[in-house]
Amino acid sequence: MPVKFKVLQRKNPQDILAPEKFYAAAIADGETDLERLAELISYQCTVTEADCYAVLMSLEHNIIGELNEGRIVKLGRLGNFQVGLSSEGKDTAEEVSSSVIKKNRILFRPGKKMRNLLSTLSYKKVS
């Protein structure tokens, strides 16, 4: 099934006076939550849906805890999670402290199979 996209007109944030251009933007086609993942997994193995859900909840809890400790969380072939930062630039190393951190985010680096998915996707324009 193709990934749906729509066309959006946007300004260039680097040059507000430049004419707007048109861009493709992916459209989500529903959601899958932990309960649904637990159900799907339980159909593929001998573990019950409730057990799968408990494991997924524990996985979430432990990923958060490990990221909070500053660790990279490696989930094998699935990929890796890591905390990333953006900060103001300073002239000297001594001037850099936690107060210059302006943004933080969780980075996900997909594993090989997931990266390869991107090269096999097809797309469908919707209005």
Side-chain angles (χ1 to χ4, degrees), residues 2 12 22 26 48 67 82 107 121:
N12 180 348
F22 295 89
T48 68
L67 290 173
Q82 181 177 359
L107 304 172
L121 292 176

Side-chain angles (χ1 to χ4, degrees), residues 76-95:
R77 296 183 336 182
L78 183 61
N80 304 329
F81 289 93
Q82 181 177 359
V83 172
L85 303 174
S86 297
S87 69
E88 293 176 20
K90 296 295 181 180
D91 294 328
T92 65
E94 292 76 24
E95 293 178 272

Side-chain angles (χ1 to χ4, degrees), residues 34 37-39 41-42 45-59:
L34 285 179
L37 286 175
E39 178 184 7
I41 293 167
S42 73
C45 63
T46 59
V47 181
T48 68
E49 184 178 335
D51 288 340
C52 291
Y53 182 73
V55 169
L56 291 170
M57 293 298 297
S58 182
L59 178 65

